[in-house]
Amino acid sequence: MKDVILYKAMPIIALFFLSYVNLFTSPVFLVLSLLLIAPYMIYRYKIFINNKYLCLFAIMGLFGSLINLIGTNNGIGGTINFVVALGITVFCIENINIVRYFVLIFCIYTVCFVYTGLFINELDINALYENIGLSRNFPGFIMCTCCCFWGFFKYLKKHELPILLPIICTIFAFFLDGRSTLGVLFGLSLFCLYCTFRRFTIVFILCLIILIIVFLDDIINIYLLTNIATSGMETGRFDIWKGYIENLDLSTIILGLNTMDVPVIRKFNGNPHNAFLNFHYRMGLFGIIGLLLVIYMSIKIILKRRSFILFGFQLFLLIRIFFDACLGASTDYLIYTIFLYPLLYNQKYLRRARKRREAQKQIFRRHNTHNPIFEKINSLFSKVERLI
């Protein structure tokens, strides 16, 4: 019972605090998450020590975030968030069969929250997460990342691709006026449909063309209701990135640049609208090098194993985070898990954990094999999961 509380229940509570930030708005919950995940990190300390990529990323990120305090006005919150995210990431990797359903529920909750806010409460799109100072880009990022997370691990575990989830999120992204979100989710939906029904590629393309032609007027009318039709595709991101790079010198390259010192970025409340620039701003040169190393090695391993579908999910995620400051936040664990999993899943400690879980599953199945109610529920659940 003690192990269940310390190493299962407490990390899951920390996951709730990090994910549902619109409910747990106080910085106290970040500190509480650190306290909740600390026993698990101590218990699994060998994973951090024995995996060179995780160890290097942890050391470089921690060091970078600490020296970042010297050159910017950032507080200690960035360091705490990084430590918590790493601990949660290892927990996610070790308990991925549980966590992937948690992420699915989180994504569905976000979609329902957007639906309630836009169509029932009739809120402005930028007022959805106004209580925590986040714009309409945040729910779009959550939907994109959760779809990539769910698809990545669904294919890894079951060799099946998501169908309904990316399509539903694409529809809601249309009303969020998020250009990068809409483009990524639309591309992800086509990617999943094509890879699922690749034998019927020609039929699929013809059906898509016919649907577009039949519903063209409706598509145009819905499009005209969004801000994308009036504001266009240019939102000044290139000017923001250019301003960030032009203001770098030797000290700010190493320590990180205070974005509020850049006039063009100050107009956007210091948001550089790029995950890698935002990570550099919070973690400095050492942190960004550690992150890029993890991403590079993860993609290298995935491609070496010719897992091109898994690489597709990583690529869509990278495209999405390139256009928004998605790193350095409470949901970093979603991104870290996707890229660290290929580097960690052969770790001997994780193999032992998987063997224990498989043994527990065998015992559970042995006791429930001849239970008709259990078999019906399991069959129904499998069919629903196959569609999602």
Side-chain angles (χ1 to χ4, degrees), residues 52-112:
K52 59 183 177 181
Y53 300 112
L54 179 61
C55 183
L56 187 62
F57 182 45
I59 292 172
M60 294 185 73
L62 188 60
F63 180 70
S65 68
L66 289 174
I67 65 170
N68 174 262
L69 302 177
I70 301 171
T72 67
N73 296 325
N74 295 329
I76 195 68
T79 305
I80 296 175
N81 183 78
F82 178 72
V83 173
V84 173
L86 276 186
I88 290 293
T89 297
V90 175
F91 173 79
C92 290
I93 292 172
E94 189 172 9
N95 300 274
I96 196 63
N97 288 326
I98 298 173
V99 173
R100 67 192 188 98
Y101 293 112
F102 175 92
V103 172
L104 174 63
I105 294 170
F106 178 41
C107 185
I108 294 171
Y109 165 81
T110 303
V111 170
C112 294

Side-chain angles (χ1 to χ4, degrees), residues 44-51 54 90 344 347 349-350:
R44 289 285 188 252
Y45 75 95
K46 288 186 178 180
I47 296 177
F48 292 90
I49 295 174
N50 292 337
N51 187 278
L54 179 61
V90 175
L344 284 176
Q347 192 84 25
Y349 303 101
L350 298 182

